[in-house]
Amino acid sequence: MTRDEWRNYICCVLTVREEFDPGNPAMVQNLVNQVLGAGVWLDQQQENRTKAVAIAAGREFFNQDPKIIQFVMENPVDRVTYGDLRMIRAEFEDLMQLSMAAGTIKHPIAYETYVDETFAKNARAATISL
């Protein structure tokens, strides 16, 4: 697994197109709060992950065999984590260097150009009730 080689790698990122923020920052904050709330809910107890697998496996979402999603959620148990929405500057800088070395970008992108920390700093986990 990637984390065996790079312990704090950037695995997943919630990205919102720039035009949504100036137009409706409350909507973006609500989205961040919901994602954080879902992570807290998933991490609270195994039963919640089992419920999430049943929902995610359905035709309207991933349309996958629930056993596959369950396996990914549990092997190892901490493969999928949900609670930390922060982008860490040092990890971002590492990713920029790797991207330049791989040729996927020609020059580094400034952290402040790519990341708006406002939403993560103001995040409050929404209550998830299923």
Side-chain angles (χ1 to χ4, degrees), residues 5-52:
E5 300 300 320
W6 182 6
R7 185 67 194 149
N8 295 315
Y9 73 103
I10 300 170
C11 177
C12 301
V13 177
L14 174 61
T15 303
V16 177
R17 289 176 35 172
E18 199 170 68
E19 62 264 21
F20 286 114
D21 179 9
N24 195 347
M27 188 244 348
V28 175
Q29 189 64 62
N30 185 47
L31 173 63
V32 170
N33 293 348
Q34 294 294 325
V35 169
L36 181 59
V40 169
W41 178 80
L42 284 165
D43 287 342
Q44 281 175 340
Q45 57 186 353
Q46 179 58 42
E47 180 186 328
N48 291 350
R49 287 188 179 221
T50 303
K51 286 180 187 177

Side-chain angles (χ1 to χ4, degrees), residues 58-120:
R59 189 178 254 327
E60 63 278 11
F61 293 104
F62 295 123
N63 194 26
Q64 295 289 320
D65 181 338
K67 289 184 226 150
I68 294 170
I69 298 173
Q70 191 76 40
F71 179 84
V72 169
M73 297 273 287
E74 295 177 350
N75 293 288
V77 226
D78 65 344
R79 174 192 302 247
V80 182
T81 59
Y82 305 92
D84 190 352
L85 298 177
R86 296 170 301 123
M87 174 74 76
I88 307 302
R89 183 183 293 265
E91 294 172 14
F92 181 85
E93 305 283 336
D94 289 345
L95 187 58
M96 284 298 110
Q97 294 304 313
L98 289 169
S99 296
M100 288 189 322
T104 56
I105 60 172
K106 299 202 183 314
H107 56 82
I109 300 167
Y111 179 81
E112 295 77 14
T113 300
Y114 191 78
V115 177
D116 178 350
E117 294 180 339
T118 308
F119 300 107

